[in-house]
Amino acid sequence: VERNVISAIVKHWSEEKYMVLKWKKVNWVTFITGGVEAGQMPEDAARTEIKEETGYLNLKLVKTLSHSHSKFFHVPKNENRFGHFTNLYFELENGEQEETQQSEKEKHDVVWLSPSEIEKSITPEGQKYDWALLQDKATPVLSGILNEPKEFAGREVKSIRKEIIEYLEKNKLAERKTTYKLR
């Protein structure tokens, strides 16, 4: 099932801690995730998911991180997924919170972790990368699916490297150059 989704990193309002979900039926620790419905903006979807899954209300969007794509088996939904993620970083303004539905409480616990605990605990590789990106520790990704430019959107980087180089040359965005080293 191909789907547009969000992943949200949420910082505590007064401590250097971040919200994660510790899933009860699978061995997952994740940031907040959820689907983007038709006509919905990713930020709105993230706010909805955070409220539904945790009850927290007063969020400030600080940064939109990179987009990512992931193929995985979604154990609770019992289906293969291909998620196109918009990754967002929020900070809570305060601890105002509503009661969550019992169905959400049965799925996962809301846990606050320090940065060092996050690095050891987060399960999905894509979310580990988002965390490293937020901490300015991310290394460039040399494979994956492109979002832009639109001419290459949805295609795997590995299979079109030559086309990308030709595109950059044609649009005068880069110049091919050969460098020799004499020994």
Side-chain angles (χ1 to χ4, degrees):
V1 175
E2 195 164 351
R3 188 121 198 249
N4 290 327
V5 289
I6 60 88
S7 175
I9 298 174
V10 181
K11 185 180 183 295
H12 194 274
W13 61 95
S14 65
E15 298 178 46
E16 188 62 27
K17 292 196 173 188
Y18 298 82
M19 180 190 303
V20 297
L21 300 178
K22 186 167 181 359
W23 292 75
K24 295 181 178 181
K25 295 181 181 176
V26 290
N27 191 22
W28 288 353
V29 175
T30 66
F31 295 121
I32 309 298
T33 58
V36 179
E37 303 305 327
Q40 190 178 38
M41 297 302 294
E43 180 182 346
D44 298 327
R47 289 177 184 280
T48 299
E49 290 295 333
I50 294 165
K51 182 180 176 186
E52 286 176 1
E53 295 181 3
T54 72
Y56 285 100
L57 302 172
N58 300 314
L59 299 154
K60 177 176 79 171
L61 177 63
V62 177
K63 182 192 278 190
T64 299
L65 304 168
S66 66
H67 292 271
S68 59
H69 307 273
S70 181
K71 292 180 180 179
F72 58 96
F73 183 71
H74 195 296
V75 176
K77 306 238 176 176
N78 196 32
E79 64 186 13
N80 287 317
R81 287 276 175 102
F82 184 12
H84 304 287
F85 286 84
T86 299
N87 304 294
L88 305 153
Y89 170 59
F90 290 92
E91 292 179 356
L92 281 170
E93 294 177 347
N94 55 45
E96 187 179 352
Q97 185 180 22
E98 290 180 351
E99 188 70 23
T100 56
Q101 293 183 359
Q102 186 60 32
S103 61
E104 292 296 333
K105 293 177 185 178
E106 291 170 4
K107 290 180 196 173
H108 43 66
D109 292 321
V110 176
V111 180
W112 292 98
L113 298 178
S114 69
S116 62
E117 293 169 319
I118 293 275
E119 291 170 11
K120 295 174 195 166
S121 302
I122 288 295
T123 311
E125 288 301 317
Q127 290 188 347
K128 289 178 184 181
Y129 182 79
D130 295 337
W131 177 252
L133 190 65
L134 185 64
Q135 306 300 308
D136 292 324
K137 296 179 182 176
T139 56
V141 176
L142 300 175
S143 65
I145 299 169
L146 293 167
N147 289 320
E148 51 187 31
K150 66 183 177 202
E151 293 84 356
F152 301 114
R155 296 177 67 193
E156 297 257 356
V157 172
K158 285 189 242 179
S159 66
I160 59 169
R161 288 184 195 271
K162 197 172 193 175
E163 289 178 57
I164 292 171
I165 293 167
E166 289 168 2
Y167 170 85
L168 293 170
E169 287 179 325
K170 178 180 155 196
N171 292 292
K172 302 195 184 315
L173 299 170
E175 182 179 302
R176 191 182 305 245
K177 179 171 126 179
T178 303
T179 305
Y180 297 96
K181 290 185 180 181
L182 298 176
R183 295 181 187 206

